[in-house]
Amino acid sequence: MDLPLLADPGSSVHKAYGIVKPYHFHRRDMYLPATFLIDKEGTLKWLYIGERNSDRPDRALILEQLSKL
């Protein structure tokens, strides 16, 4: 199963869903990586926010959460 990914360089998705967990990198506000599961109506169903820049949920956890929808 392929999972679509969205790059959010302007943090518009973070801001639209109220996910604000910035950190500073080279004098810029950056946001920690986040994984969103959003239904067809645009409702946020599950969210994972990394604790550091390289922190992402593993595929098994994403698939487990998808199976609960």
Side-chain angles (χ1 to χ4, degrees):
M1 170 187 222
D2 290 331
L3 300 172
L5 299 176
L6 166 73
D8 188 25
S11 301
S12 60
V13 175
H14 277 83
K15 292 172 186 172
Y17 284 91
I19 308 306
V20 180
K21 196 170 183 181
Y23 69 99
H24 300 285
F25 181 74
H26 293 286
R27 297 184 183 154
R28 294 187 316 161
D29 283 343
M30 305 286 285
Y31 288 82
L32 290 171
T35 301
F36 301 83
L37 294 182
I38 301 169
D39 68 13
K40 291 179 182 182
E41 289 76 37
T43 303
L44 180 64
K45 294 296 191 176
W46 181 75
L47 170 66
Y48 180 96
I49 299 176
E51 292 297 321
R52 59 192 173 286
N53 192 35
S54 61
D55 186 13
R56 307 235 179 352
D58 64 34
R59 183 180 175 141
L61 178 58
I62 295 170
L63 292 173
E64 175 187 327
Q65 295 301 318
L66 278 171
S67 71
K68 294 178 181 180
L69 298 181

